[in-house]
Amino acid sequence: MIRALIALALLSAASPAVAQEVRVDSGPVRGATADGVTAFKGLPYAAPPVGPLRWRAPEAPERWSKVRAATAYSADCLQNALPGMTGSGQPASEDCLFLNVWTPKPVAGAKLPVMVWIHGGGFVSGSSALPETDGARLASRGVVLVSFNYRLGRFGFFAHPALTAEAGGKPTGNWGLMDQIAALAWVRRNIAAFGGDPANVTIFGESSGGESVLRLMASPAAKGLFARAIAASGGGRDSWPTLAEAEARGTAFASGDAAALRALPAARVLGGITMMNKDERQYSGPVTDGAIVTGNADRIFAVGEEARIPAIIGNNDDELSFVPAAFLPMVNGPALAQLGSAAEAVQAAYASPGDARHHVAGDIIFTEPALAMATRHARSGAPTWLYRFGYVPEAKRKDGAGAGHATDVIFQFGNLARGGTASDQAAADLVADYWTNFARTGDPNGGALPAWGRLDANSPAMLAIGAAGTGMKPAASPALIAIAAARDAQSPEVIRLPSGKGPAARPEITESRAPFGTIVRNVSEPTLTAYLPDPAIATGTAVIVAPGGGFHMLSIENEGVAVARWLNSMGVAAFVLRYRLIETGDDFVPVFFRRLTNLPELVSAVQPLRPLATADGEAAVRYIRANARRFGVKANRVGMMGFSAGGAVAVWTLSAGHKTSRPDFAAAIYPGLLPDPIAVPKKAPPLFVLVADDDTLARGDSGRLDAAWRAAGAKSELVTYPTGGHGFGMEPKHKPTDAWTGRMRDWMQALGVLTR
């Protein structure tokens, strides 16, 4: 978002322009050279997305044979301007898929580093023709600079059942992101003719442009199109609506087939959507479509599935400083609402109520996400640098105010306003040097610049750029830690585990409701969902929770999430395991209950699944041990806890032949479906077994399990209760009860795994 308060008047070029010709794959183009930099403006990278091409993936532009003049910007994409917002001065049109190139050496083979700018504007506004982002000054530092337009608002982000059906399984909804990918593909094909190196492309952007950078890093559709990335004030922790949700909003906007939708007047499609009015009932914005955007970016980064490339991530130190104090409650309220019941604790983590009131929304929207995304990326092994920009031009400084949202853009490009001081210019030179060094070598350091250390995920430090100087500082704070804990609790990380060959099950995971909570069935790919405790009480112990369900389903809500939260309350990191199940399809209920009343049939049906479920348990143990530092746990304190069939998985994993994939301790709660005899490993880890006397399903197995462990000289504790039946100790509201939690807490305390 480029605000009106950043009024710019660029210094005009003193030397006359000289024509320069280059050939791209669509035809020859002529740019103009001034002060040693040649600019090519208004180059079409895709066909006009109008008429039958509205809401379609971008197609190649028509070829031309005569030299095309490329000395002036072309139209911006259709958008509604806000009063007081700076604009490019260009007309707006649906025909807007153009890009611009600035190069200091338009000679094929020069192999200069390439920087591709993605503009911000909340995906509803913005332009590649803003004077603030003119690329000449940055290009003069020895890089090829590219900027481009992409479809905005409902033209760029619109899903509808008619369009989904027409797409026939191909990407739909995220037309603007498809434009971004098409522009990057154009760069790969053509940038060598402008002196650029197609193998050395850095994408960079601010605000929604920065978020685009992060989403492109996480998108399989953009794989290989860039080698480095810089995300400025790009957030990254928010969830985009699903395709079904976006289609519902599209249907609320208009009905009809694809042809009827494309016949709608442009003015109606444009509507009144702005940065301040997103019309959320009828406009979705970007979509989790499953192809371009496959999931939340923070989760993709958390499991290391993003492009593991060198990256710079950061934001400004006072993002919402432009919001008048009287209006801060209107901004803070919705931001805090995202944190649910943790909002009060987050506010209390600030130095004072005034500090919280001034910074909390900006920290929730920008600062904590920048730290989280950078930390996740660093944990993947990719070189990562974190920054926080706090420089304010000398003429605009006032007490207590830092660098507001988007005020860094003019420093990234070196396009300072008239009247900028030597100090302002030095700050611009500093940022430009870091950025171009990074584009050139993959490391921002060099020359006499203040040293910028790579991010250590376990002790994060950032480069603080400010009026008082530039240097390394700790990146975290009590408030940011509290925000992160609240977010992680609401949106736990899901980790895919290697599965090898599995059963012929449906590829999707089906969730549904039952009287006893949320159940999951048709699991063909094992996953772990991480629930981490408050760092202030963390013990360093991890427990894998395997819910029950007779190997036909997993009782996630009661035996999974509720138990994980109970473990968290004791400072234990919990990981809910979705292990592989028997495929039952639509016959789930009758098949399950027929087998439930015929135990021999059920035990027989389970046996082929035993090696798969055991492998899933072992994979979970190995993963947590390999990533112990990341989760703040100790590699020799990984336990497992299972209920019913999950208890069997825990026992099988405990009995596995590989010490590296065997838990250090385990608890089997009313375990069932155990074969006879029960295998006990050498030097068997401690075991806790709990069952009710009237549990006809698990009483026998529990007794045999305890006896087998004791006969082998291993440590086992069997706890029995007189009544309760199978599955006792879980309230109707799906919370673990005192019927067993106190005994197990005492057992874990005796093992020494609840000490910090």
Side-chain angles (χ1 to χ4, degrees):
M1 180 174 68
I2 307 298
R3 295 175 41 250
L5 298 180
I6 314 172
L8 299 174
L10 295 180
L11 298 174
S12 58
S15 61
V18 178
Q20 179 78 42
E21 289 188 14
V22 163
R23 176 174 288 275
V24 298
D25 54 8
S26 298
V29 296
R30 180 185 297 115
T33 303
D35 293 334
V37 174
T38 304
F40 298 83
K41 299 177 179 178
L43 302 178
Y45 67 86
V50 300
L53 296 186
R54 178 193 282 177
W55 295 319
R56 288 189 188 273
E59 298 186 0
E62 289 188 6
R63 294 179 176 272
W64 59 85
S65 56
K66 295 183 178 180
V67 176
R68 180 187 179 109
T71 56
Y73 292 116
S74 294
D76 289 342
C77 291
L78 279 177
Q79 58 194 277
N80 291 306
L82 277 176
M85 301 289 285
T86 58
S88 68
Q90 297 302 119
S93 170
E94 274 196 83
D95 180 6
C96 63
L97 300 186
F98 302 97
L99 55 74
N100 317 296
V101 180
W102 290 265
T103 174
K105 194 173 183 180
V107 177
K111 288 198 170 184
L112 298 175
V114 181
M115 299 183 71
V116 181
W117 170 254
I118 305 176
H119 71 72
F123 298 107
V124 300
S125 64
S127 168
S128 66
L130 292 170
E132 297 94 322
T133 58
D134 181 283
R137 291 180 184 272
L138 209 52
S140 69
R141 294 175 173 271
V143 302
V144 177
L145 195 289
V146 180
S147 66
F148 61 87
N149 295 334
Y150 55 94
R151 283 173 280 183
L152 302 168
R154 199 177 280 114
F155 295 98
F157 304 95
F158 178 68
H160 194 282
L163 299 177
T164 302
E166 179 186 69
K170 294 182 179 179
T172 185
N174 286 318
W175 317 107
L177 292 181
M178 294 182 212
D179 294 343
Q180 294 181 9
I181 292 169
L184 290 170
W186 186 98
V187 168
R188 165 152 287 200
R189 297 193 309 271
N190 293 288
I191 207 64
F194 297 88
D197 183 355
N200 186 9
V201 174
T202 297
I203 59 173
F204 70 127
E206 185 272 340
S207 194
S208 58
E211 185 168 14
S212 294
V213 168
L214 297 172
R215 293 289 184 164
L216 290 170
M217 291 174 68
S219 176
K223 185 177 181 180
L225 292 176
F226 50 92
R228 302 181 178 107
I230 303 173
S233 300
R237 293 273 260 163
D238 54 337
S239 298
W240 287 355
T242 65
L243 182 58
E245 291 168 339
E247 286 179 343
R249 298 185 195 183
T251 302
F253 168 70
S255 59
D257 61 15
L261 294 173
R262 293 190 174 101
L264 291 171
R268 186 181 170 199
V269 176
L270 179 63
I273 297 171
T274 67
M275 288 284 293
M276 302 302 294
N277 173 28
K278 293 296 183 71
D279 188 17
E280 294 185 2
R281 191 181 71 83
Q282 299 185 100
Y283 170 63
S284 65
V287 183
T288 304
D289 65 290
I292 306 295
V293 179
T294 59
N296 289 354
D298 63 341
R299 290 189 179 182
I300 293 172
F301 273 60
V303 297
E305 292 183 352
E306 79 280 16
R308 297 184 185 181
I309 57 176
I312 292 174
I313 300 173
N315 72 295
N316 296 354
D317 70 348
D318 199 1
E319 292 275 2
L320 302 181
S321 61
F322 61 90
V323 178
F327 291 92
L328 280 173
M330 297 173 60
V331 179
N332 292 343
L336 286 166
Q338 299 176 31
L339 307 183
S341 60
E344 186 175 340
V346 165
Q347 293 178 88
Y350 284 89
S352 68
D355 188 34
R357 186 167 52 253
H358 186 83
H359 289 288
V360 69
D363 286 347
I364 292 170
I365 299 168
F366 298 106
T367 309
E368 187 276 333
L371 175 58
M373 299 301 286
T375 301
R376 283 158 164 70
H377 194 55
R379 281 178 176 149
S380 77
T384 309
W385 290 265
L386 177 67
Y387 76 91
R388 202 163 296 156
F389 181 83
Y391 187 88
V392 179
E394 288 190 301
K396 296 187 177 183
R397 292 177 190 168
K398 56 184 178 181
D399 291 342
H405 190 62
T407 59
D408 57 314
V409 173
I410 58 173
F411 290 90
Q412 293 189 48
F413 283 83
N415 294 327
L416 301 182
R418 290 184 183 275
T421 67
S423 175
D424 297 344
Q425 188 59 55
D429 290 341
L430 180 86
V431 175
D433 283 343
Y434 280 130
W435 265 222
T436 53
N437 284 348
F438 179 73
R440 193 171 291 111
T441 68
D443 188 325
N445 293 287
L449 291 170
W452 188 353
R454 276 178 58 171
L455 184 66
D456 178 350
N458 296 305
S459 182
M462 65 183 181
L463 184 77
I465 304 170
T470 297
M472 298 298 293
K473 292 184 178 180
S477 69
L480 295 179
I481 291 170
I483 293 169
R487 272 214 168 102
D488 291 340
Q490 290 179 329
S491 182
E493 175 185 341
V494 179
I495 302 147
R496 294 189 182 95
L497 296 172
S499 60
K501 293 182 178 180
R506 295 179 180 178
E508 75 274 10
I509 293 175
T510 304
E511 294 195 10
S512 58
R513 297 288 300 176
F516 43 84
T518 300
I519 63 171
V520 177
R521 56 193 176 93
N522 297 336
V523 176
S524 60
E525 181 183 53
T527 65
L528 278 177
T529 303
Y531 297 86
L532 304 183
D534 184 337
I537 64 169
T539 61
T541 296
V543 170
I544 300 162
V545 179
F551 290 97
H552 294 73
M553 66 180 186
L554 299 179
S555 305
I556 290 297
E557 188 176 62
N558 53 345
E559 292 176 348
V561 178
V563 171
R565 296 303 189 202
W566 170 70
L567 290 167
N568 287 168
S569 73
M570 297 189 294
V572 175
F575 299 82
V576 177
L577 173 65
R578 291 183 174 185
Y579 49 89
R580 280 170 282 185
L581 305 176
I582 296 172
E583 167 60 45
T584 55
D586 296 331
D587 296 328
F588 160 68
V589 173
V591 169
F592 175 69
F593 284 102
R594 187 191 75 232
R595 286 174 174 167
L596 190 61
T597 56
N598 186 343
L599 285 183
E601 180 187 355
L602 185 55
V603 172
S604 175
V606 163
Q607 295 316 302
L609 205 65
R610 176 179 174 179
L612 298 172
T614 304
D616 296 343
E618 290 185 280
V621 173
R622 286 194 300 270
Y623 182 87
I624 295 169
R625 285 200 173 126
N627 293 275
R629 288 186 65 196
R630 173 183 169 193
F631 294 114
V633 301
K634 299 177 181 179
N636 63 349
R637 278 197 188 182
V638 180
M640 193 164 183
M641 179 180 184
F643 298 80
S644 190
V649 177
V651 172
W652 294 340
T653 306
L654 202 62
S655 303
H658 306 287
K659 289 176 68 174
T660 57
S661 56
R662 184 186 301 157
D664 299 298
F665 60 93
I669 314 298
Y670 42 85
L673 308 178
L674 295 175
D676 193 10
I678 294 173
V680 183
K682 293 182 179 180
K683 297 182 179 180
L687 177 66
F688 177 89
V689 185
L690 178 139
V691 70
D693 278 346
D694 59 353
D695 184 348
T696 57
L697 288 172
R699 184 182 57 202
D701 282 350
S702 297
R704 289 191 303 111
L705 177 59
D706 176 66
W709 232 253
R710 290 176 183 272
K715 187 175 181 179
S716 175
E717 179 172 342
L718 173 63
V719 176
T720 61
Y721 287 85
T723 60
H726 192 69
F728 87 105
M730 304 297 290
E731 293 179 350
K733 293 183 179 180
H734 320 307
K735 294 179 180 178
T737 72
D738 292 337
W740 59 272
T741 52
R743 293 292 297 270
M744 186 171 173
R745 181 187 293 108
D746 292 343
W747 177 74
M748 294 175 69
Q749 190 74 56
L751 289 180
V753 298
L754 294 185
T755 57
R756 298 189 67 185

